[in-house]
Coordinates of all heavy atoms in Angstrom, one line a residue:
M3 N 7.2 -1.8 1.6 CA 6.7 -0.5 1.9 C 7.7 0.5 2.5 O 7.6 1.7 2.2 CB 5.5 -0.6 2.8 CG 4.3 -1.1 2.1 SD 2.7 -1.0 3.0 CE 3.0 -1.9 4.5
P4 N 8.7 0.0 3.2 CA 9.7 0.9 3.7 C 10.4 1.7 2.6 O 10.7 2.9 2.8 CB 10.6 0.1 4.5 CG 9.8 -1.1 5.0 CD 8.8 -1.3 3.8
R5 N 10.6 1.0 1.5 CA 11.3 1.7 0.4 C 10.5 2.9 -0.1 O 11.0 3.9 -0.4 CB 11.5 0.8 -0.8 CG 12.7 -0.1 -0.7 CD 13.0 -0.8 -2.0 NE 11.8 -1.3 -2.7 CZ 11.5 -2.6 -2.7 NH1 12.2 -3.5 -2.0 NH2 10.4 -3.0 -3.3
L6 N 9.2 2.7 -0.1 CA 8.3 3.8 -0.6 C 8.3 5.0 0.4 O 8.2 6.1 0.1 CB 6.9 3.3 -0.8 CG 6.8 2.3 -2.0 CD1 5.3 1.8 -2.1 CD2 7.2 2.9 -3.3
G7 N 8.4 4.6 1.7 CA 8.5 5.6 2.8 C 9.8 6.5 2.6 O 9.8 7.6 3.0
E8 N 10.8 5.9 2.1 CA 12.1 6.6 1.9 C 12.0 7.4 0.6 O 12.7 8.4 0.5 CB 13.3 5.6 1.8 CG 13.6 4.9 3.1 CD 14.6 3.7 3.0 OE1 15.1 3.6 1.9 OE2 14.8 3.0 4.0
K9 N 11.3 6.9 -0.4 CA 11.2 7.6 -1.7 C 10.2 8.8 -1.7 O 10.5 9.7 -2.4 CB 10.7 6.5 -2.7 CG 10.8 7.0 -4.1 CD 10.5 5.8 -5.1 CE 10.7 6.2 -6.5 NZ 10.4 5.1 -7.4
Y10 N 9.2 8.7 -0.9 CA 8.2 9.7 -0.9 C 8.0 10.3 0.5 O 8.2 9.6 1.5 CB 6.8 9.2 -1.4 CG 6.9 8.7 -2.8 CD1 7.0 7.3 -3.1 CD2 6.9 9.6 -3.9 CE1 7.1 6.9 -4.4 CE2 7.0 9.1 -5.2 CZ 7.1 7.8 -5.4 OH 7.1 7.3 -6.7
P11 N 7.5 11.5 0.7 CA 7.3 12.1 2.0 C 6.0 11.6 2.6 O 5.1 12.4 2.8 CB 7.3 13.6 1.7 CG 6.7 13.7 0.3 CD 7.3 12.5 -0.4
V12 N 6.0 10.3 3.0 CA 4.8 9.7 3.6 C 5.2 9.0 4.9 O 6.4 8.5 5.0 CB 4.1 8.8 2.7 CG1 3.5 9.5 1.5 CG2 5.0 7.7 2.2
E13 N 4.3 8.8 5.8 CA 4.5 8.0 7.0 C 3.9 6.7 6.7 O 2.8 6.6 6.3 CB 3.9 8.7 8.2 CG 4.0 8.0 9.4 CD 3.3 8.7 10.6 OE1 3.3 9.9 10.6 OE2 2.8 7.9 11.4
I14 N 4.7 5.6 6.9 CA 4.2 4.3 6.8 C 4.0 3.7 8.1 O 4.9 3.7 9.0 CB 5.3 3.4 6.0 CG1 5.7 4.0 4.7 CG2 4.8 2.0 5.9 CD1 4.7 3.9 3.6
E15 N 2.8 3.2 8.4 CA 2.4 2.6 9.6 C 1.9 1.2 9.4 O 1.0 1.0 8.6 CB 1.3 3.4 10.3 CG 1.0 2.9 11.7 CD -0.1 3.7 12.4 OE1 -0.2 4.9 12.1 OE2 -0.9 3.2 13.2
V16 N 2.5 0.2 10.0 CA 2.1 -1.1 9.8 C 1.5 -1.6 11.1 O 2.1 -1.5 12.2 CB 3.3 -2.0 9.4 CG1 2.9 -3.5 9.3 CG2 3.9 -1.6 8.2
T17 N 0.3 -2.2 11.0 CA -0.4 -2.7 12.2 C -0.5 -4.2 12.0 O -1.1 -4.6 11.0 CB -1.8 -2.1 12.4 OG1 -1.6 -0.7 12.5 CG2 -2.4 -2.6 13.7
A18 N 0.0 -5.0 12.8 CA -0.1 -6.5 12.7 C -0.7 -7.1 14.0 O -0.2 -6.8 15.1 CB 1.3 -7.1 12.4
K19 N -1.7 -7.9 13.8 CA -2.3 -8.6 14.9 C -2.6 -10.0 14.4 O -2.7 -10.3 13.2 CB -3.6 -7.9 15.3 CG -3.5 -6.5 15.8 CD -4.8 -5.9 16.1 CE -4.7 -4.4 16.5 NZ -6.0 -3.8 16.8
P20 N -2.9 -10.9 15.4 CA -3.3 -12.2 15.0 C -4.7 -12.1 14.2 O -5.5 -11.2 14.5 CB -3.5 -13.0 16.3 CG -2.8 -12.2 17.3 CD -2.7 -10.8 16.8
K21 N -4.9 -13.0 13.2 CA -6.1 -12.9 12.4 C -7.3 -12.9 13.2 O -8.3 -12.1 12.9 CB -6.1 -14.1 11.4 CG -7.3 -14.1 10.5 CD -7.2 -15.2 9.5 CE -8.4 -15.1 8.6 NZ -8.5 -16.1 7.6
A22 N -7.4 -13.6 14.3 CA -8.6 -13.6 15.2 C -8.9 -12.2 15.7 O -10.1 -11.9 15.9 CB -8.4 -14.6 16.3
A23 N -7.9 -11.4 15.9 CA -8.2 -10.0 16.4 C -9.0 -9.2 15.4 O -9.7 -8.2 15.8 CB -6.9 -9.4 16.8
Y24 N -8.8 -9.5 14.1 CA -9.5 -8.7 13.1 C -10.9 -9.2 12.8 O -11.7 -8.6 12.1 CB -8.7 -8.8 11.8 CG -7.4 -8.1 11.8 CD1 -6.2 -8.8 11.8 CD2 -7.3 -6.7 11.9 CE1 -5.0 -8.2 11.9 CE2 -6.1 -6.0 11.9 CZ -4.9 -6.8 11.9 OH -3.7 -6.2 12.0
E25 N -11.3 -10.3 13.5 CA -12.6 -10.9 13.3 C -13.5 -10.7 14.5 O -14.6 -11.3 14.5 CB -12.4 -12.4 13.0 CG -11.6 -12.6 11.7 CD -11.3 -14.1 11.4 OE1 -11.4 -14.9 12.3 OE2 -10.9 -14.4 10.3
T26 N -13.2 -9.8 15.4 CA -14.0 -9.6 16.5 C -15.1 -8.5 16.3 O -14.9 -7.7 15.4 CB -13.2 -9.2 17.8 OG1 -12.6 -7.9 17.5 CG2 -12.1 -10.2 18.1
D27 N -16.1 -8.5 17.1 CA -17.2 -7.5 17.0 C -16.5 -6.1 17.3 O -16.9 -5.1 16.7 CB -18.3 -7.7 18.0 CG -19.1 -8.9 17.5 OD1 -19.1 -9.3 16.3 OD2 -19.8 -9.5 18.4
E28 N -15.6 -6.1 18.2 CA -15.0 -4.8 18.6 C -14.2 -4.2 17.4 O -14.2 -3.0 17.2 CB -14.0 -5.0 19.8 CG -14.7 -5.3 21.1 CD -15.1 -6.8 21.2 OE1 -14.6 -7.7 20.5 OE2 -15.9 -7.1 22.1
Y29 N -13.5 -5.0 16.7 CA -12.8 -4.5 15.5 C -13.8 -4.0 14.4 O -13.5 -2.9 13.9 CB -11.9 -5.6 14.9 CG -11.1 -5.1 13.7 CD1 -10.0 -4.4 13.9 CD2 -11.6 -5.3 12.4 CE1 -9.2 -3.9 12.8 CE2 -10.9 -4.8 11.3 CZ -9.7 -4.1 11.5 OH -9.0 -3.6 10.4
F30 N -14.9 -4.7 14.2 CA -15.8 -4.2 13.2 C -16.5 -2.9 13.6 O -16.8 -2.1 12.8 CB -16.9 -5.3 12.9 CG -16.3 -6.4 12.1 CD1 -16.1 -7.7 12.6 CD2 -16.0 -6.3 10.7 CE1 -15.6 -8.7 11.9 CE2 -15.5 -7.3 10.0 CZ -15.3 -8.6 10.6
E31 N -16.6 -2.7 14.9 CA -17.2 -1.4 15.4 C -16.3 -0.3 15.1 O -16.7 0.9 15.1 CB -17.5 -1.6 16.9 CG -18.7 -2.5 17.2 CD -18.9 -2.7 18.7 OE1 -18.2 -2.1 19.5 OE2 -19.7 -3.5 19.0
L32 N -15.0 -0.5 14.9 CA -14.1 0.6 14.7 C -14.2 1.1 13.2 O -13.6 2.1 12.9 CB -12.6 0.1 14.9 CG -12.2 -0.3 16.3 CD1 -10.9 -0.9 16.4 CD2 -12.3 0.9 17.2
D33 N -14.9 0.4 12.4 CA -15.2 0.8 11.0 C -13.9 0.9 10.2 O -13.7 1.7 9.4 CB -16.0 2.1 10.9 CG -16.6 2.2 9.5 OD1 -17.0 1.2 8.9 OD2 -16.8 3.4 9.1
L34 N -12.9 -0.1 10.5 CA -11.7 -0.1 9.8 C -11.8 -1.2 8.7 O -12.7 -2.0 8.7 CB -10.5 -0.5 10.7 CG -10.2 0.6 11.8 CD1 -9.2 0.0 12.8 CD2 -9.7 1.8 11.1
P35 N -10.9 -1.2 7.7 CA -11.0 -2.1 6.6 C -10.7 -3.5 7.0 O -10.1 -3.8 8.1 CB -9.9 -1.6 5.6 CG -9.0 -0.8 6.4 CD -9.8 -0.2 7.5
V36 N -11.2 -4.5 6.2 CA -10.9 -5.9 6.5 C -9.4 -6.2 6.2 O -8.9 -5.8 5.1 CB -11.8 -6.8 5.5 CG1 -11.4 -8.3 5.7 CG2 -13.2 -6.5 5.8
A37 N -8.7 -6.8 7.1 CA -7.3 -7.1 6.9 C -7.1 -8.3 6.0 O -7.9 -9.2 5.9 CB -6.7 -7.4 8.3
P38 N -6.0 -8.3 5.2 CA -5.0 -7.3 5.1 C -5.6 -6.1 4.3 O -6.5 -6.3 3.4 CB -3.9 -7.9 4.3 CG -4.5 -9.0 3.5 CD -5.7 -9.5 4.3
A39 N -5.2 -4.9 4.6 CA -5.7 -3.7 3.9 C -4.6 -2.7 3.8 O -3.6 -2.7 4.5 CB -6.9 -3.1 4.6
I40 N -4.7 -1.8 2.8 CA -3.8 -0.7 2.6 C -4.6 0.6 2.5 O -5.6 0.6 1.7 CB -2.9 -0.9 1.4 CG1 -2.1 -2.1 1.6 CG2 -2.1 0.4 1.2 CD1 -1.2 -2.5 0.3
M41 N -4.3 1.6 3.3 CA -4.9 2.9 3.2 C -3.9 3.9 2.8 O -2.7 3.8 3.3 CB -5.5 3.3 4.6 CG -6.7 2.4 5.0 SD -7.3 2.8 6.6 CE -8.1 4.4 6.3
V42 N -4.2 4.8 2.0 CA -3.4 5.9 1.6 C -4.2 7.2 2.0 O -5.2 7.4 1.4 CB -3.0 5.9 0.1 CG1 -2.2 7.1 -0.3 CG2 -2.3 4.6 -0.3
G43 N -3.7 7.9 3.0 CA -4.5 9.0 3.5 C -5.7 8.4 4.2 O -5.6 7.4 4.9
D44 N -6.8 8.9 3.9 CA -8.1 8.4 4.5 C -8.8 7.4 3.5 O -9.8 6.9 3.8 CB -9.0 9.5 4.8 CG -8.6 10.4 5.9 OD1 -7.8 9.9 6.8 OD2 -8.9 11.6 5.9
E45 N -8.1 7.1 2.4 CA -8.7 6.3 1.4 C -8.3 4.8 1.6 O -7.1 4.5 1.7 CB -8.3 6.7 0.0 CG -8.8 5.9 -1.1 CD -8.3 6.2 -2.5 OE1 -7.5 7.2 -2.6 OE2 -8.6 5.5 -3.5
I46 N -9.2 3.9 1.6 CA -8.9 2.5 1.6 C -8.7 2.1 0.2 O -9.7 2.1 -0.6 CB -10.1 1.7 2.2 CG1 -10.3 2.1 3.7 CG2 -9.8 0.2 2.1 CD1 -11.6 1.5 4.2
V47 N -7.5 1.8 -0.2 CA -7.2 1.4 -1.6 C -7.4 -0.1 -1.9 O -7.6 -0.4 -3.0 CB -5.8 1.9 -2.1 CG1 -5.8 3.4 -2.1 CG2 -4.7 1.4 -1.2
I48 N -7.2 -0.9 -0.9 CA -7.5 -2.3 -1.0 C -7.7 -2.9 0.3 O -7.2 -2.5 1.3 CB -6.3 -3.0 -1.8 CG1 -6.8 -4.4 -2.2 CG2 -5.1 -3.1 -0.9 CD1 -5.9 -5.0 -3.3
E49 N -8.6 -3.9 0.4 CA -8.9 -4.6 1.6 C -9.2 -6.1 1.3 O -9.8 -6.4 0.3 CB -9.9 -4.0 2.5 CG -11.3 -3.9 1.9 CD -12.3 -3.3 2.8 OE1 -12.4 -3.6 4.0 OE2 -13.1 -2.4 2.3
G50 N -8.7 -6.9 2.2 CA -9.0 -8.3 2.1 C -8.0 -9.1 1.2 O -8.1 -10.3 0.9
S51 N -7.0 -8.4 0.6 CA -6.0 -9.0 -0.2 C -4.7 -8.1 -0.3 O -4.7 -7.0 0.2 CB -6.5 -9.3 -1.6 OG -6.8 -8.1 -2.3
D52 N -3.7 -8.6 -0.9 CA -2.5 -7.9 -1.1 C -2.5 -7.0 -2.3 O -3.5 -7.1 -3.1 CB -1.3 -8.8 -1.2 CG -1.0 -9.5 0.2 OD1 -1.3 -8.9 1.2 OD2 -0.6 -10.7 0.2
M53 N -1.5 -6.2 -2.5 CA -1.5 -5.2 -3.6 C -0.1 -5.2 -4.2 O 0.9 -5.2 -3.4 CB -1.9 -3.9 -3.1 CG -1.9 -2.8 -4.1 SD -2.4 -1.2 -3.3 CE -3.4 -0.5 -4.6
A54 N 0.1 -5.1 -5.5 CA 1.4 -5.0 -6.1 C 2.0 -3.6 -5.7 O 1.3 -2.6 -5.6 CB 1.2 -5.0 -7.7
E55 N 3.3 -3.6 -5.6 CA 4.1 -2.4 -5.2 C 3.8 -1.3 -6.2 O 3.7 -0.1 -5.7 CB 5.6 -2.7 -5.1 CG 6.3 -1.5 -4.5 CD 7.8 -1.8 -4.3 OE1 8.1 -3.0 -3.9 OE2 8.6 -0.9 -4.5
H56 N 3.8 -1.5 -7.5 CA 3.6 -0.5 -8.4 C 2.2 0.2 -8.2 O 2.1 1.4 -8.3 CB 3.8 -1.0 -9.9 CG 3.6 0.1 -10.9 ND1 2.4 0.4 -11.5 CD2 4.5 1.1 -11.3 CE1 2.5 1.4 -12.3 NE2 3.8 1.8 -12.2
E57 N 1.2 -0.6 -8.0 CA -0.1 -0.1 -7.8 C -0.1 0.8 -6.5 O -0.8 1.9 -6.5 CB -1.1 -1.2 -7.6 CG -1.4 -2.0 -8.9 CD -2.3 -3.1 -8.6 OE1 -3.5 -2.9 -8.4 OE2 -1.9 -4.3 -8.5
L58 N 0.5 0.4 -5.5 CA 0.6 1.2 -4.2 C 1.3 2.5 -4.5 O 0.9 3.5 -4.0 CB 1.3 0.4 -3.1 CG 1.5 1.1 -1.8 CD1 0.2 1.6 -1.3 CD2 2.2 0.2 -0.8
E59 N 2.5 2.4 -5.2 CA 3.2 3.6 -5.5 C 2.4 4.6 -6.3 O 2.4 5.8 -6.1 CB 4.5 3.2 -6.2 CG 5.4 4.4 -6.4 CD 6.8 4.0 -7.0 OE1 7.0 2.8 -7.3 OE2 7.6 4.9 -7.1
T60 N 1.6 4.1 -7.2 CA 0.7 4.9 -8.0 C -0.3 5.6 -7.1 O -0.6 6.8 -7.3 CB 0.0 4.1 -9.1 OG1 1.0 3.5 -10.0 CG2 -1.0 4.9 -9.9
C61 N -0.9 4.9 -6.2 CA -1.9 5.5 -5.2 C -1.2 6.6 -4.4 O -1.8 7.7 -4.2 CB -2.4 4.5 -4.3 SG -3.5 3.3 -5.1
I62 N 0.0 6.4 -3.9 CA 0.8 7.3 -3.1 C 1.0 8.6 -4.0 O 0.8 9.7 -3.5 CB 2.1 6.8 -2.6 CG1 1.8 5.7 -1.5 CG2 3.0 7.8 -2.0 CD1 3.0 4.9 -1.1
C63 N 1.4 8.4 -5.2 CA 1.7 9.6 -6.1 C 0.4 10.4 -6.3 O 0.5 11.6 -6.3 CB 2.3 9.1 -7.4 SG 4.0 8.6 -7.2
R64 N -0.7 9.7 -6.5 CA -1.9 10.4 -6.7 C -2.3 11.2 -5.5 O -2.7 12.4 -5.6 CB -3.1 9.4 -7.0 CG -3.2 9.1 -8.5 CD -4.5 8.4 -8.8 NE -4.2 7.2 -9.6 CZ -4.5 6.0 -9.4 NH1 -5.2 5.6 -8.3 NH2 -4.1 5.0 -10.2
Q65 N -2.1 10.7 -4.3 CA -2.4 11.3 -3.0 C -1.6 12.6 -2.9 O -2.0 13.6 -2.4 CB -2.2 10.3 -1.9 CG -2.5 10.9 -0.5 CD -3.9 11.0 -0.2 OE1 -4.8 10.4 -0.7 NE2 -4.2 11.9 0.8
L66 N -0.3 12.5 -3.3 CA 0.6 13.6 -3.1 C 0.6 14.6 -4.3 O 1.3 15.6 -4.3 CB 2.1 13.0 -3.0 CG 2.3 12.2 -1.7 CD1 3.7 11.6 -1.8 CD2 2.2 13.0 -0.5
G67 N -0.2 14.3 -5.3 CA -0.3 15.2 -6.5 C 1.0 15.1 -7.3 O 1.3 16.1 -8.0
L68 N 1.6 14.0 -7.3 CA 2.8 13.8 -8.1 C 2.5 13.0 -9.4 O 1.5 12.2 -9.4 CB 3.9 13.0 -7.3 CG 4.4 13.7 -6.0 CD1 5.2 12.7 -5.3 CD2 5.1 14.9 -6.4
P69 N 3.3 13.0 -10.4 CA 3.1 12.2 -11.6 C 3.2 10.7 -11.3 O 4.0 10.3 -10.4 CB 4.2 12.6 -12.6 CG 5.0 13.6 -11.9 CD 4.5 13.9 -10.6
E70 N 2.4 9.9 -11.9 CA 2.4 8.5 -11.6 C 3.7 7.9 -12.1 O 4.2 8.3 -13.2 CB 1.2 7.8 -12.3 CG -0.1 8.2 -11.7 CD -1.3 7.5 -12.2 OE1 -1.1 6.5 -13.0 OE2 -2.4 7.9 -11.9
P71 N 4.2 6.9 -11.4 CA 5.5 6.3 -11.8 C 5.3 5.4 -13.0 O 4.2 4.9 -13.3 CB 5.9 5.4 -10.6 CG 4.5 5.1 -9.9 CD 3.7 6.3 -10.2
K72 N 6.3 5.4 -13.8 CA 6.3 4.5 -15.0 C 6.5 3.1 -14.6 O 7.3 2.7 -13.7 CB 7.5 4.9 -15.9 CG 7.6 4.1 -17.2 CD 8.8 4.5 -18.0 CE 9.1 3.4 -19.1 NZ 10.4 3.6 -19.7
K73 N 5.6 2.2 -15.2 CA 5.7 0.8 -14.8 C 7.0 0.2 -15.5 O 7.1 0.4 -16.7 CB 4.5 0.1 -15.3 CG 4.5 -1.4 -14.8 CD 3.1 -2.0 -14.9 CE 3.2 -3.4 -14.3 NZ 1.9 -4.0 -14.1
K74 N 7.8 -0.4 -14.8 CA 9.0 -1.0 -15.3 C 8.7 -2.3 -16.0 O 8.0 -3.2 -15.5 CB 10.0 -1.2 -14.2 CG 10.5 0.1 -13.6 CD 11.5 -0.2 -12.5 CE 11.9 1.1 -11.9 NZ 12.9 0.9 -10.8
G75 N 9.3 -2.5 -17.2 CA 9.2 -3.7 -18.0 C 10.2 -4.7 -17.6 O 11.1 -4.4 -16.7
L76 N 10.2 -5.8 -18.2 CA 11.1 -6.9 -17.9 C 12.6 -6.5 -18.1 O 13.5 -6.7 -17.3 CB 10.8 -8.2 -18.7 CG 11.8 -9.3 -18.5 CD1 11.7 -9.8 -17.1 CD2 11.4 -10.5 -19.5
M77 N 12.9 -5.8 -19.2 CA 14.3 -5.4 -19.5 C 14.7 -4.4 -18.4 O 15.9 -4.4 -18.0 CB 14.4 -4.8 -20.9 CG 14.1 -5.8 -22.0 SD 15.1 -7.2 -21.9 CE 16.6 -6.6 -22.6
D78 N 13.8 -3.5 -18.0 CA 14.2 -2.5 -16.9 C 14.6 -3.2 -15.6 O 15.5 -2.9 -15.0 CB 13.1 -1.5 -16.7 CG 12.8 -0.6 -17.8 OD1 13.7 -0.2 -18.5 OD2 11.6 -0.3 -18.0
K79 N 13.8 -4.2 -15.3 CA 14.0 -5.0 -14.1 C 15.4 -5.8 -14.2 O 16.1 -5.9 -13.3 CB 12.9 -5.9 -13.8 CG 11.6 -5.2 -13.4 CD 10.5 -6.2 -13.2 CE 9.2 -5.5 -12.8 NZ 8.1 -6.4 -12.7
L80 N 15.6 -6.4 -15.4 CA 16.8 -7.2 -15.5 C 18.1 -6.3 -15.5 O 19.1 -6.7 -14.9 CB 16.8 -7.9 -16.9 CG 15.8 -9.1 -17.0 CD1 15.8 -9.6 -18.4 CD2 16.2 -10.2 -16.0
F81 N 18.0 -5.1 -16.0 CA 19.2 -4.2 -16.0 C 19.1 -3.1 -15.0 O 19.9 -2.2 -15.0 CB 19.3 -3.7 -17.4 CG 19.7 -4.7 -18.5 CD1 18.7 -5.2 -19.4 CD2 20.9 -5.3 -18.5 CE1 19.0 -6.2 -20.3 CE2 21.2 -6.3 -19.4 CZ 20.3 -6.7 -20.3
K82 N 18.1 -3.2 -14.1 CA 17.9 -2.3 -12.9 C 17.9 -0.9 -13.4 O 18.5 0.0 -12.8 CB 18.9 -2.6 -11.9 CG 18.8 -4.0 -11.3 CD 19.8 -4.1 -10.1 CE 19.8 -5.6 -9.7 NZ 19.2 -6.0 -8.6
K83 N 17.2 -0.6 -14.4 CA 17.1 0.8 -14.9 C 16.1 1.5 -14.0 O 15.0 1.0 -13.6 CB 16.6 0.9 -16.3 CG 17.6 0.4 -17.3 CD 17.1 0.6 -18.7 CE 18.1 0.0 -19.8 NZ 17.5 0.2 -21.1
S84 N 16.3 2.8 -13.7 CA 15.4 3.6 -12.8 C 14.3 4.1 -13.6 O 14.3 4.4 -14.7 CB 16.1 4.7 -12.2 OG 17.2 4.2 -11.4

C-alpha cells in the first residue's frame, strides 16, 4: 500500500490491533468493517479478507476519477514494463 500512496494523491492509514480487539462489542458498536478490511474514501471495498493490489489500485483510481490502471500480464511482470 505505501507504493500506492506514493503513486496517487491519497492518504494511507493502517490500523493494526490484535484479532481479539476486533471481536469485541465495543468494536462492533463503532460500525466499522470486519478486519481485515480496506476502505477507499467512505466506501468499504472489502472486509474479512485480503485484496489483490491491482484491484485496490483500480478502486483508488475510481475514487479519484482517474482512468483505471491496465492489468499487467506475465510478460510485463517479467520484463518490468510500466
